[in-house]
Amino acid sequence: MRGDLDRVLFDEPAINRRLDELAQQISNDYRDRELTAIAVLTGSLMFMADLLRRVSLPVKLDCLSVASYHGKAHTMGKVTFKEVTLPDVGDRDILIVDDILDSGHTLAAVREKLESAKPRSIRVCVLLSKKKQRARHVDADYVGFEIEDEFVVGYGLDFRGRYRNLPYIGVLRRELLKGEGMKGAW
Ligand code: IMP
Ligand code: MG
């Protein structure tokens, strides 16, 4: 699988070092409070598990499953919630945990949905944020790494369901992205 990558951006030690820092920051910011983490599946699985194990606070964990359809004109920006029952977030301090901030559609929709349930506070934590113009503005309060606008895989992130189990994050070779309707299909 390493051969499918153009280059590795963040290896395991780099990811671990950054997770230590993020977890420390979160633990300080929420000191003396209970945190409710809401992980956006599936891409955030590894990140969420490794991050939350480093956080020294009482934490409740819920997961949300959403599907986004980008790149198809008729469904542009549409985000469907697969879980019918949303986690109970009323009066809680919510931290949304996701893998990557790209167009912003997913996180904007998730944030809006959770805000309607009146949490006490709501913040967003992403492992990666692409430096690009977003279709929807999203403020990420905690960002692991900023990256260029390239397609990355590993450590939870996939291309057509693959590469999630790579312990590092890398840029997928461009020729593998080509092919039927790939543009914007992630
Ligand atoms: P957004 O709604 O465009 O911000 O994108 C959100 C979702 O698209 C992420 O949660 C990922 O699942 C997926 N995604 C965006 N960029 C990448 C990438 O470079 N690699 C893998 N998945 C990506
Ligand atoms: Mg995702």
Side-chain angles (χ1 to χ4, degrees):
M1 287 203 292
R2 174 66 185 85
D4 291 356
L5 298 188
D6 178 52
R7 62 194 192 282
V8 172
L9 290 181
F10 308 107
D11 62 11
E12 264 186 283
I15 295 172
N16 287 333
R17 278 196 302 274
R18 188 65 189 122
L19 291 188
D20 285 340
E21 293 171 357
L22 275 181
Q24 182 69 55
Q25 205 186 336
I26 292 168
S27 305
N28 288 340
D29 290 354
Y30 289 88
R31 203 174 321 115
D32 301 328
R33 284 189 279 167
E34 181 181 74
L35 186 65
T36 299
I38 302 206
V40 185
L41 297 179
T42 305
S44 70
L45 258 179
M46 317 289 174
F47 175 45
M48 174 267 290
D50 289 344
L51 177 73
L52 293 185
R53 271 180 289 187
R54 290 168 158 85
V55 168
S56 53
L57 298 166
V59 174
K60 282 186 172 167
L61 171 63
D62 274 302
C63 297
L64 266 188
S65 200
V66 302
S68 22
Y69 305 92
H70 304 159
K72 293 191 192 112
H74 61 288
T75 50
M76 197 56 132
K78 185 175 187 297
V79 176
T80 311
F81 287 75
K82 292 191 204 156
E83 293 291 307
V84 184
T85 28
L86 281 172
D88 171 23
V89 299
D91 213 27
R92 296 209 201 151
D93 292 304
I94 301 301
L95 184 66
I96 302 170
V97 181
D98 203 0
D99 53 358
I100 188 164
L101 183 50
D102 185 23
S103 72
H105 279 304
T106 306
L107 279 167
V110 168
R111 194 187 176 123
E112 224 168 72
K113 189 87 166 172
L114 293 174
E115 259 165 6
S116 67
K118 305 256 180 292
R120 182 180 307 138
S121 69
I122 193 157
R123 284 186 185 175
V124 171
C125 175
V126 288
L127 174 63
L128 304 171
S129 172
K130 285 191 189 174
K131 293 185 218 161
K132 67 188 284 190
Q133 189 77 26
R134 303 200 200 291
R136 292 197 63 183
H137 174 79
V138 177
D139 280 319
D141 302 275
Y142 305 96
V143 175
F145 304 99
E146 293 229 333
I147 61 167
E148 298 304 322
D149 189 10
E150 296 180 294
F151 196 84
V152 293
V153 294
Y155 196 66
L157 291 131
D158 75 307
F159 174 58
R160 297 188 173 153
R162 299 210 181 87
Y163 309 106
R164 290 197 201 273
N165 61 322
L166 292 179
Y168 44 82
I169 299 163
V171 178
L172 195 62
R173 275 172 37 211
R174 290 188 76 87
E175 57 267 37
L176 294 173
L177 282 174
K178 294 195 191 114
E180 347 78 73
M182 178 48 216
K183 188 162 176 6
W186 64 82

